[in-house]
Amino acid sequence: YKDFADKYGKDVIEKDGKQIVLATAEQIKKIKNLINVVKLPEGQLDKWLQAANATTLEEIEQCKAQKIIDHITEKYINKGVE
């Protein structure tokens, strides 16, 4: 413990944990459906996964999954619709 506390700081080690809520099955399904409908720029999904510190959609946090859904919907689906 002492070595970790010295290296990372006692406040970091003893800090309260943060609960991570993963994307729901519905969100994952919606993202996959949107990706099948929309032609995303090359590597876009990989960029989103990397930004979310995830390797698959199933590892993305719920709030980040919703941001992806909103982005695809606003930029590609609702494009030009007013």
Side-chain angles (χ1 to χ4, degrees), residues 6-76:
D6 290 344
K7 186 171 184 172
Y8 299 107
K10 186 177 179 181
D11 57 327
V12 172
I13 294 173
E14 294 180 357
K15 186 167 114 178
D16 289 338
K18 176 185 170 190
Q19 182 179 9
I20 297 173
V21 180
L22 296 178
T24 65
E26 292 81 21
Q27 286 177 311
I28 294 166
K29 183 177 178 181
K30 183 155 188 156
I31 292 170
K32 288 179 178 180
N33 287 339
L34 287 168
I35 289 171
N36 286 331
V37 171
V38 173
K39 174 96 170 111
L40 293 174
E42 183 73 29
Q44 182 63 58
L45 180 58
D46 291 333
K47 288 179 185 177
W48 287 333
L49 290 172
Q50 184 178 13
N53 293 319
T55 56
T56 66
L57 289 173
E58 290 76 10
E59 296 174 357
I60 291 180
E61 292 180 46
Q62 192 174 41
C63 61
K64 292 178 182 177
Q66 190 58 51
K67 287 181 183 180
I68 291 171
I69 291 168
D70 293 344
H71 177 77
I72 294 172
T73 302
E74 291 170 12
K75 186 166 183 175
Y76 299 100

